[in-house]
Structures are given as C-alpha cells and as structure tokens.
Amino acid sequence: MPKSKRDRPVTLSKTKKKGRDHKETIVNAIRESVEKYSSVYVFSFENMRNIKFNEFRQQFMHNGRFFLGSNKVMQVALGRSASDEIRSGLYKVSKLINGNAGLLATDMPKEEVESLFNAYEDAYFSKTGRIAAETVELKEGPLEQFTHDMEPFLRKQKMPVRLNKGTVELISDFVVCEEGKPLSPESAHILRLLGKKLSTFKLTLVCRWSPIDFELYQEGLDLSDVETS
C-alpha cells in the first residue's frame, strides 16, 4: 500500500524566534485542516487590523480555520512542488503564498466565501507614518466644522488659521497630506478631526483549491504561472 503523502517527514530550517516545535505544530495543524475541509483558499490582506480580522473570522468559526504567519511554513505544510505536496495540486496553492498572505480551509460553499470576502472592507483613521492614500487640501475660508475654542489647537497643528467674528478661518489654502507621502503627527490629527479615514483593511481572495478543481481569483495571474512544479 503506498505511503500517504501527508505522513512524510518535514525538514524545517532553524529559527531563534519561535522554535522548531512551534513550526511543526503549525505544519501539522495546516495538514489536518486540509484533510478535514473540502476547500483551501489563499487570501491577501492590506493594513491588517487584528481586532477586525478576528471579527471576520468568527463567520467561519464552525466550518473553517484560518492560518497567518510565516509564508515559508505554510508553503512547507502544503508542499512546494508536485513531488512533496500533501494532496494533488496543492503545490499550486503554495506558489501563491507571497507577501501579506494567509490560508483558509473551509467547508463553506465557495459562493458564500467569495461573497464574504468581496463585501468586507473596513476604513479607519490613518496613523502617523502611514502613506497617504490621497491628497487632502483645505481651501482658504471659514472652517465651520471647528468650534472657536479649537483655534489654538489647530495652530499647533501648523494650520494657518485665525478667529474671525468667532469663526475659525483658514487664511490660505492648506495641504493636510499628499498622496504617496508619510503622514506627519499633525496631518494624522487633522485628518481625524476632519473625519477622513484614508486607510482601509481589506481581504482579497487569491485562489481556491479543492480535490477536483483549482481556481484563480487574482487579476494578472494565469494557470501557467503556477503549474510548473
């Protein structure tokens, strides 16, 4: 009787951070999930927010499991080539675990998974140092969204303002932030006051594997990109 692929020994590189035992625990958990659930997805993420991600994963609490962490460990768990993959075709999934990526093993129908991922997006206030997603500029004139007692604080944020008959007034055009440039502490404060949420936590499906088929979601990818073992 041929030996099961999933029973093959795994060689993991040395690490000082979490240790070999931790890596092997993750590998085994991924392999058990691949056997337990009917489909495996790779997804990418932008601007990860742990609290929001934990809320999202609750929707799969009873019929799925997520994995985040070392891309290399996830690749080893699935198999990096046709010769060491734990189930047929999983090496294609392994090739697509790059950058900010994670795995989801689930029994949920693919239409439901796609709907949940496609609909999920959470905007939030950008922190200092984040790259501005767009340019925000205020035009000269009254700033009626600010009360008169905020004028000293706004000046501390380097805004050219004054009080004019009890109304905060911008005496010249002012660029709060520029697209593609890091946010200063002052810019981050002003954006929050303006209610401008420039950062978005987003999850995007990359591919789906099942024992009978393989599907790519990510634009710009072709099956030929992943079929070479």
Side-chain angles (χ1 to χ4, degrees):
M1 180 177 178
K3 190 175 181 181
S4 171
K5 286 186 176 184
R6 66 179 182 274
D7 292 331
R8 293 177 180 174
V10 179
T11 300
L12 295 171
S13 60
K14 292 186 294 183
T15 178
K16 295 180 180 179
K17 189 172 184 181
K18 290 191 175 179
R20 181 184 179 89
D21 289 345
H22 177 77
K23 281 187 172 185
E24 290 183 344
T25 298
I26 298 301
V27 166
N28 291 334
I30 291 173
R31 290 184 168 185
E32 289 171 5
S33 294
V34 169
E35 294 294 332
K36 178 179 179 180
Y37 297 107
S38 60
S39 298
V40 177
Y41 295 80
V42 175
F43 62 91
S44 63
F45 56 86
E46 301 174 26
N47 303 317
M48 172 58 77
R49 302 189 76 196
N50 290 334
I51 293 176
K52 292 297 182 180
F53 179 67
N54 286 335
E55 291 175 359
F56 178 79
R57 73 195 301 174
Q58 290 302 308
Q59 299 171 97
F60 297 84
M61 183 170 57
H62 300 296
N63 60 355
R65 185 168 180 183
F66 284 87
F67 296 92
L68 292 175
S70 167
N71 288 348
K72 183 176 180 181
V73 170
M74 291 188 285
Q75 290 168 344
V76 168
L78 299 176
R80 292 178 166 184
S81 67
S83 63
D84 64 4
E85 63 184 2
I86 61 170
R87 295 188 69 180
S88 180
L90 275 176
Y91 79 90
K92 300 174 188 177
V93 176
S94 183
K95 285 178 176 289
L96 294 170
I97 302 174
N98 300 299
N100 295 325
L103 288 175
L104 165 64
T106 182
D107 284 331
M108 186 179 288
K110 84 181 192 77
E111 292 79 11
E112 291 184 36
V113 175
E114 292 167 0
S115 177
L116 288 171
F117 272 82
N118 292 337
Y120 188 78
E121 192 172 289
D122 182 68
Y124 64 98
F125 294 113
S126 300
K127 296 181 179 180
T128 300
R130 285 278 189 183
I131 302 301
E134 63 181 79
T135 296
V136 176
E137 183 177 5
L138 299 175
K139 295 297 184 180
E140 176 184 351
L143 299 174
E144 297 180 352
Q145 64 267 54
F146 299 127
T147 58
H148 68 89
D149 57 346
M150 294 181 67
E151 188 263 348
F153 176 78
L154 295 176
R155 279 193 283 108
K156 287 182 179 179
Q157 307 311 308
K158 302 179 181 178
M159 291 181 66
V161 295
R162 66 184 178 189
L163 281 178
N164 184 1
K165 297 180 181 179
T167 298
V168 178
E169 184 178 69
L170 198 62
I171 61 177
S172 62
D173 293 349
F174 178 72
V175 176
V176 179
C177 62
E178 293 185 59
E179 182 180 356
K181 293 186 177 181
L183 293 179
S184 67
E186 294 82 8
S187 295
H189 285 146
I190 295 168
L191 289 172
R192 183 175 287 272
L193 291 173
L194 293 171
K196 295 284 290 185
K197 297 179 178 181
L198 298 189
S199 293
T200 302
F201 170 41
K202 186 172 177 61
L203 301 167
T204 304
L205 290 172
V206 177
C207 71
R208 179 185 64 85
W209 171 94
S210 78
I212 60 173
D213 64 354
F214 178 78
E215 183 175 2
L216 285 171
Y217 295 104
Q218 188 169 307
E219 292 184 7
L221 285 177
D222 187 84
L223 281 174
S224 61
D225 296 325
V226 295
E227 286 185 337
T228 303
S229 61

